[in-house]
Amino acid sequence: MELRHLRYFIAVAEEGSLTLAAEKRLHTAQPSLSRQIRDLEYEVGVPLLIRSVHGIELTAAGRAFLDHARLALTQAEAAAEAARRAAQPQRTLFAIGFLTGYEMDWLPAVMGILRAELPSTEVVIHSLDSPDLATGLIHGKIDLAFLRPEKQAPGLKFRLLRKDPLIVVMPRDHALAARTSIRPQDIAGQTFIGVSPIRWAVINDYVKPFGVKPDHQAENLAMAISLVASTGGIGLFPLYSQNLLPKTVVSRPIRDAPPTVDLVIGYNEANTSPLLKSILAKVDDLKVRVTKSGSR
C-alpha cells in the first residue's frame, strides 16, 4: 500500500465520482484511477467502494478506512514537512528595540546593514519606551535598542547616535501655528502638555524659567500628542515626534538654540551575538544611511 493509493481513495470518496476525482482532483485518466482503487481494495482485502449508476458510495469498510486514511496521509505530510524544516539551516533570532516613532527612521538603515544575514536571521522588532527597552536589554530579551541613555541600567553600554532638538507641537489651527519658529517665552500663558518628568526632565527644566508648568501630564509621548490634539494645548517634544503627528497637529522649531535629547544605541556588554558586533562596527555607516535618507 502506497501513499498515492490513500490519496486516490480519499479523492474518490470526497467527490463521490471516479470521473470527478480523476479530472478535478487528481488530473489523471479514469481507467488508471480505477486500477489504483482496485489495487488498494486487493491490498486491504475487502471492498471499499460500491459503484452504481448514481456514482460511488462507500461500504461500511470504506467508511472505516476513510478516517484512518485521512489521518495517515496527514501524518505523512507532517513528517515530510518536519524533515524539510530539519534540513534547512536554523534561523538566528535577533531582537531590535526602538523608541516608538524611531523605527521609521532607523529600521530601514539597520535592515540594509543586515541584508546579507537575513536569509538565516529572523528579526523581531519591539517599539517601547526607553526604560522598557533598557529592561529588555538587561534581561536579554532585546539585542540592540535605540533609546535614551538610561542611568539605572547595569551592564548596558550606550553609544551616541545624535542629539535631537526639541520642537513645539500644537494643533494646526493654534494661533502660534502661523509662525515659522517659536520663542520659548511664547509658550508662557499657553495650555501646556507635559510628559512624565522622570523620563523627560529636560523639557520641564527648559520651560520652568519661563513660568510654564504642565496643565496636563502625560505618561508617554503618544499620550502627550493625543492631549495636544484634544485640548488645544502645546507641548515640547523631541524632533522624531514628527513621525507620530496626526494631520490635525503641526510642529515648529524653537528659535535660537533649542535644548536637545540624546539618542543612543544601547546593548548589553555580555551579549556575544555576531550580528550585534556587526552593527556596532558599522554605527558610522548607520548614521550616514539615515542622514542620506533624509530621516528626522
Short mmCIF file of all heavy atoms in Angstrom, two decimals, residues 129-192:
data_model
loop_
_atom_site.label_atom_id
_atom_site.label_comp_id
_atom_site.label_asym_id
_atom_site.label_seq_id
_atom_site.Cartn_x
_atom_site.Cartn_y
_atom_site.Cartn_z
N ASP A 129 8.90 52.33 25.28
CA ASP A 129 9.53 53.49 25.92
C ASP A 129 10.96 53.13 26.31
O ASP A 129 11.31 51.95 26.44
CB ASP A 129 8.74 53.89 27.17
CG ASP A 129 7.41 54.54 26.81
OD1 ASP A 129 7.28 55.07 25.69
OD2 ASP A 129 6.50 54.52 27.65
N SER A 130 11.77 54.17 26.53
CA SER A 130 13.19 53.96 26.80
C SER A 130 13.47 53.06 28.01
O SER A 130 14.27 52.13 27.92
CB SER A 130 13.90 55.31 26.96
OG SER A 130 15.29 55.14 27.05
N PRO A 131 12.82 53.28 29.17
CA PRO A 131 13.09 52.40 30.31
C PRO A 131 12.74 50.94 30.04
O PRO A 131 13.44 50.03 30.49
CB PRO A 131 12.21 52.98 31.43
CG PRO A 131 12.02 54.41 31.05
CD PRO A 131 11.93 54.40 29.55
N ASP A 132 11.67 50.72 29.27
CA ASP A 132 11.28 49.35 28.95
C ASP A 132 12.28 48.70 28.00
O ASP A 132 12.56 47.50 28.09
CB ASP A 132 9.88 49.32 28.34
CG ASP A 132 8.81 49.79 29.31
OD1 ASP A 132 8.98 49.55 30.53
OD2 ASP A 132 7.82 50.39 28.87
N LEU A 133 12.83 49.50 27.09
CA LEU A 133 13.86 48.98 26.19
C LEU A 133 15.11 48.59 26.98
O LEU A 133 15.71 47.54 26.73
CB LEU A 133 14.22 50.02 25.14
CG LEU A 133 13.16 50.33 24.08
CD1 LEU A 133 13.57 51.53 23.24
CD2 LEU A 133 12.90 49.12 23.19
N ALA A 134 15.48 49.44 27.94
CA ALA A 134 16.65 49.13 28.77
C ALA A 134 16.43 47.84 29.55
O ALA A 134 17.34 47.00 29.66
CB ALA A 134 16.94 50.29 29.72
N THR A 135 15.24 47.65 30.08
CA THR A 135 14.92 46.42 30.81
C THR A 135 15.05 45.21 29.89
O THR A 135 15.58 44.17 30.28
CB THR A 135 13.49 46.49 31.38
OG1 THR A 135 13.41 47.60 32.29
CG2 THR A 135 13.14 45.22 32.12
N GLY A 136 14.58 45.35 28.66
CA GLY A 136 14.70 44.25 27.70
C GLY A 136 16.14 43.91 27.39
O GLY A 136 16.51 42.74 27.25
N LEU A 137 16.99 44.93 27.31
CA LEU A 137 18.42 44.70 27.07
C LEU A 137 19.06 43.99 28.27
O LEU A 137 19.85 43.06 28.11
CB LEU A 137 19.14 46.03 26.82
CG LEU A 137 18.83 46.74 25.51
CD1 LEU A 137 19.44 48.13 25.51
CD2 LEU A 137 19.35 45.94 24.32
N ILE A 138 18.72 44.44 29.46
CA ILE A 138 19.30 43.87 30.69
C ILE A 138 18.96 42.39 30.81
O ILE A 138 19.81 41.56 31.16
CB ILE A 138 18.80 44.64 31.93
CG1 ILE A 138 19.40 46.05 31.95
CG2 ILE A 138 19.17 43.89 33.22
CD1 ILE A 138 18.82 46.95 33.01
N HIS A 139 17.72 42.04 30.47
CA HIS A 139 17.26 40.66 30.64
C HIS A 139 17.49 39.80 29.39
O HIS A 139 17.06 38.65 29.35
CB HIS A 139 15.79 40.64 31.02
CG HIS A 139 15.51 41.23 32.38
ND1 HIS A 139 15.90 40.63 33.55
CD2 HIS A 139 14.90 42.38 32.74
CE1 HIS A 139 15.54 41.36 34.59
NE2 HIS A 139 14.92 42.45 34.12
N GLY A 140 18.15 40.33 28.39
CA GLY A 140 18.48 39.54 27.21
C GLY A 140 17.33 39.31 26.25
O GLY A 140 17.45 38.49 25.34
N LYS A 141 16.22 40.03 26.41
CA LYS A 141 15.08 39.86 25.51
C LYS A 141 15.25 40.72 24.26
O LYS A 141 14.57 40.51 23.25
CB LYS A 141 13.79 40.23 26.23
CG LYS A 141 13.46 39.33 27.41
CD LYS A 141 12.14 39.73 28.05
CE LYS A 141 11.84 38.88 29.27
NZ LYS A 141 11.51 37.52 28.98
N ILE A 142 16.12 41.71 24.31
CA ILE A 142 16.40 42.59 23.18
C ILE A 142 17.91 42.62 22.98
O ILE A 142 18.67 42.72 23.95
CB ILE A 142 15.85 44.01 23.42
CG1 ILE A 142 14.32 43.97 23.58
CG2 ILE A 142 16.24 44.94 22.29
CD1 ILE A 142 13.71 45.31 23.91
N ASP A 143 18.37 42.52 21.75
CA ASP A 143 19.80 42.52 21.45
C ASP A 143 20.36 43.91 21.27
O ASP A 143 21.50 44.20 21.64
CB ASP A 143 20.08 41.69 20.18
CG ASP A 143 19.75 40.22 20.38
OD1 ASP A 143 20.47 39.56 21.14
OD2 ASP A 143 18.78 39.75 19.77
N LEU A 144 19.56 44.78 20.67
CA LEU A 144 20.03 46.12 20.32
C LEU A 144 18.85 47.07 20.43
O LEU A 144 17.74 46.72 20.04
CB LEU A 144 20.57 46.11 18.89
CG LEU A 144 21.11 47.42 18.33
CD1 LEU A 144 22.49 47.70 18.91
CD2 LEU A 144 21.21 47.34 16.81
N ALA A 145 19.07 48.29 20.95
CA ALA A 145 17.95 49.22 21.11
C ALA A 145 18.38 50.64 20.81
O ALA A 145 19.52 51.04 21.07
CB ALA A 145 17.39 49.13 22.53
N PHE A 146 17.44 51.39 20.25
CA PHE A 146 17.59 52.82 20.01
C PHE A 146 16.78 53.52 21.09
O PHE A 146 15.55 53.49 21.07
CB PHE A 146 17.09 53.17 18.62
CG PHE A 146 17.93 52.58 17.51
CD1 PHE A 146 17.83 51.22 17.21
CD2 PHE A 146 18.80 53.37 16.79
CE1 PHE A 146 18.61 50.67 16.20
CE2 PHE A 146 19.58 52.82 15.77
CZ PHE A 146 19.49 51.47 15.48
N LEU A 147 17.46 54.18 22.03
CA LEU A 147 16.80 54.68 23.23
C LEU A 147 17.53 55.87 23.80
O LEU A 147 18.47 56.40 23.20
CB LEU A 147 16.69 53.56 24.26
CG LEU A 147 17.97 53.07 24.98
CD1 LEU A 147 17.60 52.19 26.17
CD2 LEU A 147 18.92 52.33 24.07
N ARG A 148 17.10 56.30 24.99
CA ARG A 148 17.80 57.33 25.74
C ARG A 148 18.84 56.67 26.64
O ARG A 148 18.67 55.51 27.03
CB ARG A 148 16.82 58.13 26.60
CG ARG A 148 15.66 58.73 25.85
CD ARG A 148 16.10 59.87 24.97
NE ARG A 148 14.99 60.30 24.11
CZ ARG A 148 15.12 60.64 22.86
NH1 ARG A 148 16.30 60.58 22.29
NH2 ARG A 148 14.09 61.03 22.15
N PRO A 149 19.91 57.37 26.99
CA PRO A 149 20.89 56.77 27.92
C PRO A 149 20.33 56.67 29.32
O PRO A 149 20.22 57.67 30.04
CB PRO A 149 22.07 57.77 27.85
CG PRO A 149 21.48 59.05 27.37
CD PRO A 149 20.32 58.70 26.49
N GLU A 150 19.90 55.48 29.70
CA GLU A 150 19.29 55.25 31.00
C GLU A 150 20.36 55.12 32.08
O GLU A 150 21.35 54.41 31.90
CB GLU A 150 18.42 53.99 30.95
CG GLU A 150 17.26 54.07 29.98
CD GLU A 150 16.20 55.06 30.41
OE1 GLU A 150 16.06 55.30 31.63
OE2 GLU A 150 15.50 55.61 29.53
N LYS A 151 20.15 55.79 33.22
CA LYS A 151 21.14 55.78 34.30
C LYS A 151 21.11 54.48 35.09
O LYS A 151 22.14 53.93 35.44
CB LYS A 151 20.90 56.98 35.22
CG LYS A 151 21.14 58.32 34.53
CD LYS A 151 20.91 59.47 35.49
CE LYS A 151 21.16 60.81 34.80
NZ LYS A 151 20.94 61.96 35.70
N GLN A 152 19.94 53.99 35.41
CA GLN A 152 19.81 52.75 36.19
C GLN A 152 19.75 51.56 35.25
O GLN A 152 18.71 50.95 35.05
CB GLN A 152 18.56 52.81 37.08
CG GLN A 152 18.51 54.01 38.02
CD GLN A 152 19.67 54.02 39.00
OE1 GLN A 152 20.10 52.98 39.49
NE2 GLN A 152 20.19 55.21 39.29
N ALA A 153 20.89 51.26 34.64
CA ALA A 153 20.93 50.19 33.63
C ALA A 153 22.23 49.42 33.75
O ALA A 153 23.13 49.57 32.92
CB ALA A 153 20.76 50.78 32.24
N PRO A 154 22.37 48.59 34.79
CA PRO A 154 23.62 47.84 34.99
C PRO A 154 23.93 46.91 33.83
O PRO A 154 23.06 46.19 33.35
CB PRO A 154 23.35 47.06 36.28
CG PRO A 154 21.86 46.98 36.38
CD PRO A 154 21.35 48.26 35.80
N GLY A 155 25.18 46.94 33.39
CA GLY A 155 25.62 46.04 32.33
C GLY A 155 25.39 46.55 30.93
O GLY A 155 25.80 45.89 29.96
N LEU A 156 24.75 47.71 30.79
CA LEU A 156 24.47 48.23 29.46
C LEU A 156 25.51 49.25 29.02
O LEU A 156 26.07 49.99 29.83
CB LEU A 156 23.08 48.87 29.40
CG LEU A 156 21.88 47.99 29.72
CD1 LEU A 156 20.59 48.71 29.35
CD2 LEU A 156 21.96 46.64 29.03
N LYS A 157 25.76 49.26 27.72
CA LYS A 157 26.65 50.22 27.10
C LYS A 157 25.84 51.07 26.12
O LYS A 157 24.92 50.57 25.46
CB LYS A 157 27.79 49.52 26.35
CG LYS A 157 28.73 48.72 27.25
CD LYS A 157 29.61 49.65 28.07
CE LYS A 157 30.66 48.86 28.83
NZ LYS A 157 31.54 49.74 29.63
N PHE A 158 26.19 52.35 26.01
CA PHE A 158 25.48 53.26 25.12
C PHE A 158 26.48 53.99 24.22
O PHE A 158 27.56 54.38 24.66
CB PHE A 158 24.68 54.29 25.91
CG PHE A 158 23.68 53.70 26.86
CD1 PHE A 158 23.90 53.71 28.22
CD2 PHE A 158 22.52 53.11 26.38
CE1 PHE A 158 22.99 53.16 29.10
CE2 PHE A 158 21.59 52.55 27.25
CZ PHE A 158 21.83 52.58 28.61
N ARG A 159 26.09 54.14 22.95
CA ARG A 159 26.89 54.91 22.00
C ARG A 159 26.00 55.97 21.36
O ARG A 159 24.92 55.67 20.85
CB ARG A 159 27.48 53.99 20.93
CG ARG A 159 28.51 53.01 21.50
CD ARG A 159 29.02 52.04 20.47
NE ARG A 159 29.70 52.72 19.38
CZ ARG A 159 30.32 52.08 18.39
NH1 ARG A 159 30.34 50.74 18.37
NH2 ARG A 159 30.91 52.74 17.42
N LEU A 160 26.46 57.20 21.42
CA LEU A 160 25.66 58.32 20.93
C LEU A 160 25.47 58.24 19.42
O LEU A 160 26.43 58.07 18.66
CB LEU A 160 26.33 59.64 21.30
CG LEU A 160 25.58 60.91 20.87
CD1 LEU A 160 24.27 61.03 21.63
CD2 LEU A 160 26.45 62.14 21.09
N LEU A 161 24.21 58.40 19.00
CA LEU A 161 23.91 58.46 17.57
C LEU A 161 23.72 59.90 17.11
O LEU A 161 24.25 60.32 16.11
CB LEU A 161 22.66 57.64 17.26
CG LEU A 161 22.79 56.12 17.35
CD1 LEU A 161 21.43 55.46 17.15
CD2 LEU A 161 23.78 55.61 16.31
N ARG A 162 22.92 60.64 17.86
CA ARG A 162 22.71 62.04 17.52
C ARG A 162 21.99 62.74 18.66
O ARG A 162 21.50 62.09 19.59
CB ARG A 162 21.92 62.19 16.22
CG ARG A 162 20.46 61.80 16.34
CD ARG A 162 19.76 61.88 14.99
NE ARG A 162 18.33 61.63 15.12
CZ ARG A 162 17.52 61.36 14.10
NH1 ARG A 162 18.00 61.30 12.88
NH2 ARG A 162 16.23 61.16 14.30
N LYS A 163 21.95 64.06 18.58
CA LYS A 163 21.22 64.87 19.56
C LYS A 163 20.01 65.46 18.85
O LYS A 163 20.16 66.20 17.87
CB LYS A 163 22.11 65.97 20.12
CG LYS A 163 23.26 65.45 20.99
CD LYS A 163 24.12 66.59 21.51
CE LYS A 163 25.19 66.09 22.46
NZ LYS A 163 24.62 65.62 23.74
N ASP A 164 18.83 65.13 19.35
CA ASP A 164 17.60 65.61 18.73
C ASP A 164 17.12 66.88 19.41
O ASP A 164 16.92 66.90 20.63
CB ASP A 164 16.50 64.55 18.84
CG ASP A 164 16.66 63.45 17.82
OD1 ASP A 164 17.36 63.66 16.83
OD2 ASP A 164 16.07 62.37 18.02
N PRO A 165 16.93 67.97 18.65
CA PRO A 165 16.40 69.21 19.26
C PRO A 165 14.93 69.04 19.63
O PRO A 165 14.20 68.26 19.02
CB PRO A 165 16.58 70.23 18.15
CG PRO A 165 16.51 69.44 16.88
CD PRO A 165 17.15 68.11 17.21
N LEU A 166 14.51 69.80 20.61
CA LEU A 166 13.09 69.85 20.95
C LEU A 166 12.37 70.75 19.95
O LEU A 166 12.94 71.71 19.44
CB LEU A 166 12.88 70.37 22.36
CG LEU A 166 13.44 69.54 23.51
CD1 LEU A 166 13.07 70.18 24.85
CD2 LEU A 166 12.93 68.11 23.45
N ILE A 167 11.12 70.42 19.67
CA ILE A 167 10.28 71.22 18.79
C ILE A 167 8.98 71.52 19.52
O ILE A 167 8.63 70.86 20.50
CB ILE A 167 9.98 70.50 17.46
CG1 ILE A 167 9.33 69.12 17.74
CG2 ILE A 167 11.24 70.34 16.63
CD1 ILE A 167 8.87 68.39 16.50
N VAL A 168 8.26 72.52 19.03
CA VAL A 168 6.97 72.88 19.61
C VAL A 168 5.88 72.19 18.78
O VAL A 168 5.86 72.32 17.56
CB VAL A 168 6.75 74.41 19.60
CG1 VAL A 168 5.41 74.75 20.24
CG2 VAL A 168 7.88 75.10 20.35
N VAL A 169 5.00 71.49 19.45
CA VAL A 169 3.91 70.76 18.79
C VAL A 169 2.59 71.37 19.23
O VAL A 169 2.38 71.63 20.42
CB VAL A 169 3.97 69.27 19.16
CG1 VAL A 169 2.78 68.52 18.58
CG2 VAL A 169 5.26 68.66 18.65
N MET A 170 1.70 71.60 18.27
CA MET A 170 0.44 72.28 18.56
C MET A 170 -0.62 71.90 17.52
O MET A 170 -0.28 71.38 16.45
CB MET A 170 0.65 73.80 18.54
CG MET A 170 0.93 74.37 17.15
SD MET A 170 1.66 76.01 17.16
CE MET A 170 3.40 75.57 17.38
N PRO A 171 -1.91 72.17 17.81
CA PRO A 171 -2.95 71.93 16.80
C PRO A 171 -2.72 72.81 15.57
O PRO A 171 -2.17 73.91 15.66
CB PRO A 171 -4.24 72.32 17.53
CG PRO A 171 -3.92 72.16 18.98
CD PRO A 171 -2.47 72.56 19.11
N ARG A 172 -3.14 72.32 14.44
CA ARG A 172 -2.94 73.05 13.19
C ARG A 172 -3.59 74.43 13.21
O ARG A 172 -3.09 75.38 12.57
CB ARG A 172 -3.50 72.22 12.03
CG ARG A 172 -3.25 72.80 10.65
CD ARG A 172 -3.72 71.87 9.56
NE ARG A 172 -2.90 70.66 9.53
CZ ARG A 172 -1.74 70.56 8.90
NH1 ARG A 172 -1.25 71.62 8.25
NH2 ARG A 172 -1.06 69.44 8.91
N ASP A 173 -4.70 74.58 13.95
CA ASP A 173 -5.39 75.86 13.98
C ASP A 173 -4.99 76.73 15.18
O ASP A 173 -5.64 77.73 15.48
CB ASP A 173 -6.92 75.64 13.99
CG ASP A 173 -7.37 74.79 15.17
OD1 ASP A 173 -6.50 74.34 15.97
OD2 ASP A 173 -8.58 74.55 15.30
N HIS A 174 -3.93 76.39 15.87
CA HIS A 174 -3.45 77.17 17.01
C HIS A 174 -2.89 78.51 16.51
O HIS A 174 -2.33 78.60 15.41
CB HIS A 174 -2.37 76.39 17.76
CG HIS A 174 -2.07 76.94 19.12
ND1 HIS A 174 -1.28 78.05 19.32
CD2 HIS A 174 -2.46 76.52 20.36
CE1 HIS A 174 -1.18 78.29 20.62
NE2 HIS A 174 -1.88 77.39 21.27
N ALA A 175 -3.00 79.54 17.34
CA ALA A 175 -2.54 80.87 16.94
C ALA A 175 -1.04 80.88 16.63
O ALA A 175 -0.59 81.59 15.72
CB ALA A 175 -2.85 81.89 18.05
N LEU A 176 -0.25 80.11 17.36
CA LEU A 176 1.19 80.09 17.14
C LEU A 176 1.60 79.34 15.88
O LEU A 176 2.73 79.44 15.43
CB LEU A 176 1.90 79.47 18.35
CG LEU A 176 1.83 80.26 19.67
CD1 LEU A 176 2.54 79.49 20.78
CD2 LEU A 176 2.46 81.65 19.50
N ALA A 177 0.67 78.57 15.30
CA ALA A 177 0.99 77.77 14.11
C ALA A 177 1.28 78.65 12.90
O ALA A 177 1.89 78.19 11.93
CB ALA A 177 -0.15 76.81 13.80
N ALA A 178 0.88 79.93 12.94
CA ALA A 178 1.13 80.83 11.81
C ALA A 178 2.59 81.27 11.77
O ALA A 178 3.04 81.82 10.77
CB ALA A 178 0.22 82.06 11.92
N ARG A 179 3.35 81.04 12.84
CA ARG A 179 4.74 81.45 12.90
C ARG A 179 5.65 80.36 12.35
O ARG A 179 5.34 79.18 12.41
CB ARG A 179 5.13 81.78 14.35
CG ARG A 179 4.22 82.83 14.98
CD ARG A 179 4.70 83.19 16.36
NE ARG A 179 3.78 84.13 17.01
CZ ARG A 179 4.00 84.68 18.20
NH1 ARG A 179 5.10 84.38 18.88
NH2 ARG A 179 3.11 85.52 18.72
N THR A 180 6.81 80.79 11.84
CA THR A 180 7.77 79.82 11.30
C THR A 180 8.66 79.23 12.39
O THR A 180 9.23 78.16 12.21
CB THR A 180 8.66 80.49 10.23
OG1 THR A 180 9.31 81.64 10.81
CG2 THR A 180 7.82 80.94 9.04
N SER A 181 8.78 79.94 13.51
CA SER A 181 9.52 79.43 14.66
C SER A 181 8.91 80.04 15.93
O SER A 181 8.22 81.06 15.87
CB SER A 181 11.01 79.78 14.56
OG SER A 181 11.20 81.18 14.56
N ILE A 182 9.19 79.40 17.05
CA ILE A 182 8.56 79.80 18.31
C ILE A 182 9.65 80.19 19.31
O ILE A 182 10.62 79.45 19.51
CB ILE A 182 7.71 78.66 18.89
CG1 ILE A 182 6.71 78.14 17.84
CG2 ILE A 182 6.99 79.12 20.16
CD1 ILE A 182 5.70 79.15 17.37
N ARG A 183 9.46 81.36 19.95
CA ARG A 183 10.35 81.74 21.03
C ARG A 183 9.91 81.04 22.31
O ARG A 183 8.72 80.80 22.51
CB ARG A 183 10.31 83.25 21.25
CG ARG A 183 10.74 84.09 20.06
CD ARG A 183 10.54 85.56 20.36
NE ARG A 183 9.15 85.84 20.73
CZ ARG A 183 8.73 87.01 21.24
NH1 ARG A 183 9.60 88.00 21.43
NH2 ARG A 183 7.45 87.18 21.54
N PRO A 184 10.85 80.69 23.18
CA PRO A 184 10.46 79.99 24.41
C PRO A 184 9.48 80.79 25.25
O PRO A 184 8.58 80.22 25.88
CB PRO A 184 11.79 79.77 25.13
CG PRO A 184 12.77 80.67 24.47
CD PRO A 184 12.31 80.85 23.08
N GLN A 185 9.60 82.13 25.26
CA GLN A 185 8.67 82.93 26.07
C GLN A 185 7.25 82.92 25.50
O GLN A 185 6.30 83.25 26.21
CB GLN A 185 9.17 84.37 26.21
CG GLN A 185 9.45 85.10 24.90
CD GLN A 185 10.90 84.98 24.50
OE1 GLN A 185 11.52 83.93 24.70
NE2 GLN A 185 11.46 86.07 23.95
N ASP A 186 7.11 82.55 24.21
CA ASP A 186 5.77 82.47 23.62
C ASP A 186 4.96 81.33 24.23
O ASP A 186 3.72 81.29 24.12
CB ASP A 186 5.87 82.24 22.11
CG ASP A 186 6.48 83.44 21.40
OD1 ASP A 186 6.35 84.56 21.91
OD2 ASP A 186 7.09 83.24 20.34
N ILE A 187 5.66 80.39 24.86
CA ILE A 187 4.97 79.23 25.44
C ILE A 187 4.20 79.64 26.69
O ILE A 187 3.17 79.04 27.04
CB ILE A 187 5.99 78.12 25.76
CG1 ILE A 187 6.70 77.69 24.48
CG2 ILE A 187 5.32 76.92 26.42
CD1 ILE A 187 7.87 76.76 24.72
N ALA A 188 4.72 80.67 27.40
CA ALA A 188 4.07 81.11 28.64
C ALA A 188 2.64 81.56 28.36
O ALA A 188 2.35 82.21 27.36
CB ALA A 188 4.87 82.26 29.25
N GLY A 189 1.74 81.18 29.21
CA GLY A 189 0.34 81.55 29.07
C GLY A 189 -0.47 80.60 28.21
O GLY A 189 -1.69 80.73 28.11
N GLN A 190 0.21 79.64 27.59
CA GLN A 190 -0.49 78.64 26.77
C GLN A 190 -0.82 77.40 27.62
O GLN A 190 -0.14 77.12 28.61
CB GLN A 190 0.38 78.22 25.58
CG GLN A 190 0.84 79.37 24.71
CD GLN A 190 -0.30 80.00 23.93
OE1 GLN A 190 -1.31 79.36 23.64
NE2 GLN A 190 -0.13 81.26 23.58
N THR A 191 -1.84 76.68 27.21
CA THR A 191 -2.11 75.38 27.84
C THR A 191 -0.96 74.46 27.47
O THR A 191 -0.71 74.20 26.29
CB THR A 191 -3.43 74.79 27.33
OG1 THR A 191 -4.50 75.68 27.68
CG2 THR A 191 -3.69 73.43 27.97
N PHE A 192 -0.24 73.98 28.48
CA PHE A 192 0.99 73.24 28.22
C PHE A 192 0.83 71.77 28.58
O PHE A 192 0.36 71.43 29.67
CB PHE A 192 2.16 73.83 29.00
CG PHE A 192 3.49 73.24 28.62
CD1 PHE A 192 4.09 73.56 27.42
CD2 PHE A 192 4.14 72.34 29.46
CE1 PHE A 192 5.31 73.03 27.05
CE2 PHE A 192 5.36 71.80 29.11
CZ PHE A 192 5.95 72.14 27.90
#
